[in-house]
Amino acid sequence: MLSFIFGHTGALHWWNLADFAVAILFAYLLVWGRSNKLFKKNEFNDDFLSLDTMKSLRGFAAIGVILHHISQEQVFQMEGILLPFVNAGAYFVSIFFFASGYGLLKSLDSKPNYLRGFVKKRIVKSIVVPYYVDILLYGAFIALVRLPMDKEQWVFNFLGVTMMNQYAWFPVVLAILYLVFFITFRLCKNRKNCFKIIFAFIILMGIGCMIEGHYAWWTGPSNWWCSEYYYMNEATWWMKEKVFWFHGEWWVNSAPAFLTGLVFANYEKKIVAFFKENYWKRFFILVIITEVCFAISDIGQSKFGYWTEFNLKGPEIGNKLATYFCQVPLFLILPVTIYIFLMKYHVSNPISRFFGKYSLHTYLMNLMA
C-alpha cells in the first residue's frame, strides 16, 4: 500500500495519491453489485453468461484498457503509477474477443436468418462506421492541437489504412474476424470444420503480424530504427512504429480468445454441467492449467521477445513467432477461467454496465485520456 502512495521516489506527490485512489475505486467496483456464491455449496449464478453480466465484464475490460494505456505513458512508468496495468492490456482485450465470439454463435443459434444482412448490420454499422467516426474526431483533434503530419499521411489516415488513432486497432481486427465468421459459417455446414478454419485464420493473421514487425524493417539502412538521428530526421512517416495495420503484437496476441468464445457457446451446456458436478476441484485444475500457460507466455517473452528489432540483428522474425506461439495457449484458456469463475462470483453495477454498453466507443476514444 505504501508503494502506491509514495511511488518509486519515496516522496509524496498528488499523482501517487491519485494512483492509490484509482486502485481503491477499481477494487470497489469489483465488489459493488456482486452476486457471491463462493461459499455456497452447489449454488451457482445461473445468469453468469447473461447479456447483463457480459456487458458488465466488458465494462471492467474497457476501464482496464484505459488505465493500461495511461500507465504506458513514460511519465507514469517513471513514477510507477498504475503499475499493475502496464502489461495487462492483452488480458482485458481477450475478454472483448471472447464475448464477441460467444455472442455471434449464440445469436446464430437463436435468431432465424441471422446471417442475412450480417455484413451491413454487424460489420458496417456496428464497427466500420464508428471506426471512421473515430478517425474524423481524432483528425479534428490533431488539427486543433497542430500536431505535425505530412499531407500523404493525412490522406492515408483518413482512408483508414494507416492509423489516425494508434489505439483503434481492435475494431479493425474485430471486423476482419466477423467477416471470416460470416464467410465460414455461410459456406461451411460442419461446425468443427468452421472452428478449424477460423483458428487457422487467426494463426495465419498472427504469423503475418510477426513478419511485419513494428517498423518497416525492410527499407532503409540496416537496423535504422535503432538510430535516434535516423528515426527522427531521415525516416519517412510510413516507416515508423504503429503506422500500418498489424504493426505490433497487440493486434493479434489476444485474438485466439475469439475462437474460445465460439467454442464455449457451442458446448456451453456440456461445459457448465461439467464444472457444476465438482466445481472447486475442476476449477482448481483449470487455474493450474492457466498458470502453466502464464508461465509459458512469460518464458516466451523473456527468452525470445517481440521487440527483437533492438537486438541489432535485424527483425529476428523467428523470435517473434516463438513468443507468439508461447502466448496462444494462454489466450485460448484464460477467458474460460474467467467465465467459469463467474459461475460463483460476478459483479454488475451502473458503472460497469455503462462502460459495457459503450465499450467499443470507450475503446476508440481512450487515446484522449
Side-chain angles (χ1 to χ4, degrees):
M1 183 177 292
L2 291 177
S3 64
F4 266 114
I5 299 176
F6 291 97
H8 292 332
T9 63
L12 179 63
H13 295 291
W14 70 266
W15 55 75
N16 299 120
L17 293 173
D19 185 37
F20 181 67
V22 168
I24 294 296
L25 289 172
F26 195 80
Y28 178 69
L29 287 178
L30 294 175
V31 298
W32 179 21
R34 65 190 178 274
S35 178
N36 182 8
K37 299 192 177 174
L38 290 172
F39 306 107
K40 297 179 180 179
K41 189 175 181 180
N42 296 325
E43 289 190 32
F44 302 92
N45 293 313
D46 294 328
D47 63 339
F48 79 102
L49 287 168
S50 67
L51 183 60
D52 181 71
T53 304
M54 284 279 192
K55 282 184 178 179
S56 290
L57 190 59
R58 289 204 307 267
F60 282 112
I63 296 170
V65 168
I66 293 175
L67 295 175
H68 162 68
H69 284 142
I70 294 175
S71 73
Q72 291 199 321
E73 294 300 321
Q74 185 177 3
V75 64
F76 288 92
Q77 292 205 24
M78 288 173 62
E79 288 291 337
I81 305 299
L82 300 176
L83 198 60
F85 294 94
V86 171
N87 296 312
Y91 310 134
F92 290 120
V93 176
S94 70
I95 293 173
F96 289 125
F97 278 124
F98 178 93
S100 297
Y102 177 88
L104 286 182
L105 201 68
K106 297 300 286 187
S107 296
L108 181 66
D109 287 338
S110 61
K111 298 178 181 178
N113 301 315
Y114 179 64
L115 295 180
R116 184 180 298 172
F118 180 88
V119 173
K120 181 180 179 180
K121 293 178 182 178
R122 302 293 291 132
I123 299 179
V124 176
K125 286 186 176 181
S126 299
I127 303 175
V128 176
V129 170
Y131 175 70
Y132 279 99
V133 170
D134 178 75
I135 289 174
L136 294 174
L137 290 173
Y138 274 94
F141 173 74
I142 290 170
L144 182 65
V145 299
R146 298 183 180 181
L147 291 176
M149 190 180 295
D150 292 347
K151 292 180 180 179
E152 295 85 358
Q153 189 174 5
W154 275 108
V155 173
F156 281 99
N157 281 354
F158 274 120
L159 290 174
V161 295
T162 55
M163 304 303 292
M164 182 78 80
N165 170 8
Q166 64 190 36
Y167 293 155
W169 62 267
F170 176 74
V172 176
V173 178
L174 192 64
I176 293 171
L177 291 177
Y178 273 33
L179 184 60
V180 172
F181 168 85
F182 169 74
I183 295 172
T184 303
F185 278 86
R186 189 72 179 265
L187 300 179
C188 181
K189 303 304 179 184
N190 186 303
R191 284 212 170 169
K192 290 184 179 180
N193 288 337
C194 288
F195 296 149
K196 291 176 184 177
I197 292 169
I198 292 173
F199 182 57
F201 181 86
I202 290 172
I203 295 299
L204 288 173
M205 189 168 61
I207 292 172
C209 185
M210 296 306 104
I211 293 172
E212 186 172 0
H214 298 94
Y215 306 93
W217 55 265
W218 39 267
T219 189
S222 178
N223 298 310
W224 61 264
W225 52 87
C226 295
S227 167
E228 184 176 354
Y229 174 82
Y230 190 93
Y231 187 94
M232 298 301 297
N233 300 292
E234 300 293 335
T236 54
W237 66 271
W238 55 266
M239 295 170 63
K240 298 180 181 180
E241 180 188 355
K242 301 177 182 177
V243 174
F244 287 106
W245 289 9
F246 296 95
H247 259 188
E249 67 281 351
W250 49 87
W251 284 72
V252 295
N253 58 359
S254 57
F258 180 81
L259 174 73
T260 303
L262 293 172
V263 175
F264 195 102
N266 192 64
Y267 298 104
E268 178 184 335
K269 290 183 179 180
K270 292 182 179 180
I271 293 172
V272 172
F274 174 80
F275 280 97
K276 278 186 175 181
E277 187 175 335
N278 196 338
Y279 179 84
W280 283 113
K281 178 181 178 180
R282 292 175 177 177
F283 179 69
F284 177 74
I285 293 172
L286 180 63
V287 170
I288 295 298
I289 295 171
T290 306
E291 285 296 327
V292 170
C293 291
F294 264 112
I296 295 171
S297 174
D298 288 342
I299 290 171
Q301 292 179 80
S302 60
K303 183 176 177 60
F304 305 107
Y306 284 120
W307 291 84
T308 53
E309 293 96 342
F310 292 97
N311 294 336
L312 296 175
K313 299 178 182 179
E316 290 198 307
I317 295 169
N319 282 347
K320 295 179 189 296
L321 288 169
T323 309
Y324 170 69
F325 282 108
C326 284
Q327 284 205 297
V328 168
L330 174 60
F331 289 106
L332 287 172
I333 195 68
L334 178 62
V336 178
T337 308
I338 293 171
Y339 277 88
I340 293 302
F341 179 72
L342 298 185
M343 292 175 65
K344 282 289 189 178
Y345 185 97
H346 70 70
V347 173
S348 179
N349 56 60
I351 293 178
S352 67
R353 288 193 296 270
F354 173 83
F355 280 98
K357 182 178 180 180
Y358 300 105
S359 57
L360 179 61
H361 307 78
T362 301
Y363 197 101
L364 286 170
M365 295 307 297
N366 78 83
L367 181 58
M368 289 290 185

